Amino acid sequence: MAPFNGAIDLTVSGSAGPFTYSWTGPGGFTASTEDISNLQDGAYNVTVTDVPSGCTASANINVNNTAPTLSLSSAVTANSRCVAPFNGAIDLTVSGSAGPFTYSWTGPGGFTASTEDISNLQDGAYSVTVTDVPSGCTASANINVNSTAPALSLSSAVTANSRCVAPFNGAIDLTVSGSAGPFTYSWTGPGGFTASTEDISNLQDGAYSVTVTDVPSGCTALANINVNSTAPALSLSSAVTANSRCVAPFNGAIDLTVSGSAGPFTYSWTGPGGFTASTEDISNLQDGAYSVTVTDVPSGCTALANINVNSTAPALSLSSAVTRQQPVRGTVQRCHRPDGERLGRTVYLFMDGPRGLYGQHGRHQQPSGRSVQRNSNRCAERLHGFGQHKREQHGTCFKPVRNGN
């Protein structure tokens, strides 16, 4: 490459001249001097003219090439890491010239370098251009850095969870292959679960994820693993006896049956009037709504049922017939009580409840609330209509006497 260093030193004989020179050469080269320099290799033509005589002479002259032919070779170290710092390397050797040389490298991820040898390389394709400084000659090479990073493989043995509440009993036994490790582990799972061990236990059912990292290489592997559930699904059925009583002791009953597990079970009943119980079956129940929660002791699983106890107690019905008392006429002669109060003469009497009797000549309060009639020889109060007795008044004393007397 320019500047070239070829030259032609021309000598003309046969005349004392002076001379003119006309040169042509590679790449459109021209010159008008006797000698030419800074020539690239190639074929040059010159025409020399003797000025006094006009005589000419021509010559074809080759400038040969002694520029070095560079040769590149390399020793490559494969990269064994998945993350930085990488450990691939290229050891380059240049031959064909004593140099010195310049180097221009490019590679994956925008990699560049200007040294002969390069290191800390990730795997991938690298290119280099070497320039021989004295000659400007160049040589290029494309070099691959291979990967020996491990390809991790994950397998697992899973134990299903058989419980509905903690402590759960699911488990994952993880196996890592593809590298001798050591490894780090990062687990996530349901309910914010995290762990950093190879194997995990006391797991509830659900989806778990693990990232395994090979410490020497930084390589990772990811797995999603499901822990299934074998927890029992409890089912409740009941035979109900209705309550036929309105007051205690009641006689309703619930005969409960639990299926879906062999148990044992615990029972928590609630019902009307603050009722509670902890047995499977309950009796002496008043009618109303009852609720039961059944817990399977081995698994902690529960089932809830709402059960109604109906009522077959008789519904009593009451009816009545009321007869209105018509006014009763009674005639009394003038009679005085011991306190001097005169009873009315002709009085129309009728029943007015416990407040007394009403007549034509005024209201007369009677102890019996019935009617008044004159007996033959004394003042008396005689019951009419509703009453079954009469009372006679002797002074301030009343005594019972039979009706009609």
Side-chain angles (χ1 to χ4, degrees), residues 72 84 90 94 109 116 123 146 192 226 228 235-236 316 322 351 365 389:
L72 306 180
I90 300 174
V94 183
E116 180 177 9
D123 44 282
N146 294 325
N226 281 323
N228 293 325
S235 178
L236 305 181
L316 303 183
V322 178
M351 181 67 185
Q365 185 72 28
H389 297 82

Side-chain angles (χ1 to χ4, degrees), residues 13-41:
S13 60
S15 173
F19 307 103
T20 61
Y21 305 90
S22 177
W23 291 92
T24 61
F29 174 84
T30 61
S32 60
T33 60
E34 179 180 9
D35 302 321
I36 53 177
S37 59
N38 298 324
L39 305 178
Q40 67 183 99
D41 48 285

Side-chain angles (χ1 to χ4, degrees), residues 177-205:
S177 57
S179 173
F183 305 104
T184 62
Y185 306 87
S186 178
W187 289 93
T188 59
F193 174 87
T194 61
S196 58
T197 57
E198 180 177 8
D199 303 319
I200 53 177
S201 57
N202 298 326
L203 306 180
Q204 68 184 99
D205 44 281

Side-chain angles (χ1 to χ4, degrees), residues 125-392:
Y126 292 81
S127 295
V128 61
T129 297
V130 178
T131 302
D132 177 61
V133 174
S135 66
C137 294
T138 61
S140 296
N142 294 315
I143 305 169
N144 282 322
V145 174
N146 294 325
S147 173
T148 58
L152 302 183
S153 177
L154 306 181
S155 61
S156 59
V158 181
T159 301
N161 171 46
S162 64
R163 289 185 54 82
C164 293
V165 295
F168 303 107
N169 57 2
I172 301 176
D173 184 356
L174 188 69
T175 300
V176 184
S177 57
S179 173
F183 305 104
T184 62
Y185 306 87
S186 178
W187 289 93
T188 59
F193 174 87
T194 61
S196 58
T197 57
E198 180 177 8
D199 303 319
I200 53 177
S201 57
N202 298 326
L203 306 180
Q204 68 184 99
D205 44 281
Y208 292 80
S209 295
V210 62
T211 299
V212 179
T213 302
D214 178 61
V215 174
S217 67
C219 296
T220 60
L222 174 68
N224 295 313
I225 305 169
N226 281 323
V227 173
N228 293 325
S229 172
T230 57
L234 302 183
S235 178
L236 305 181
S237 61
S238 59
V240 181
T241 301
N243 170 45
S244 65
R245 291 185 54 82
C246 293
V247 295
F250 303 108
N251 58 2
I254 300 175
D255 184 355
L256 188 69
T257 299
V258 185
S259 57
S261 173
F265 306 104
T266 62
Y267 306 88
S268 178
W269 289 92
T270 60
F275 174 86
T276 62
S278 59
T279 58
E280 180 177 7
D281 304 320
I282 52 176
S283 58
N284 298 326
L285 306 179
Q286 69 184 97
D287 44 283
Y290 292 80
S291 294
V292 62
T293 298
V294 179
T295 302
D296 178 61
V297 174
S299 67
C301 298
T302 60
L304 173 67
N306 295 312
I307 305 169
N308 282 323
V309 173
N310 294 325
S311 172
T312 58
L316 303 183
S317 177
L318 304 178
S319 62
S320 60
V322 178
T323 301
R324 180 178 179 86
Q325 177 64 38
Q326 299 298 322
V328 178
R329 178 176 179 140
T331 301
V332 299
Q333 295 180 0
R334 186 172 298 177
C335 183
H336 295 274
R337 291 186 180 180
D339 59 5
E341 180 183 0
R342 177 178 297 178
L343 296 176
R345 293 194 182 100
T346 301
V347 186
Y348 293 92
L349 304 172
F350 57 90
M351 181 67 185
D352 190 30
R355 295 193 300 166
L357 299 170
Y358 293 83
Q360 180 179 4
H361 296 289
R363 176 179 175 183
H364 301 274
Q365 185 72 28
Q366 300 298 325
S368 66
R370 297 298 186 263
S371 61
V372 176
Q373 186 174 1
R374 163 86 165 113
N375 203 331
S376 59
N377 54 8
R378 57 186 178 275
C379 291
E381 295 172 345
R382 184 174 183 177
L383 301 177
H384 286 275
F386 300 136
Q388 299 299 319
H389 297 82
K390 66 181 180 180
R391 296 176 185 270
E392 281 190 350

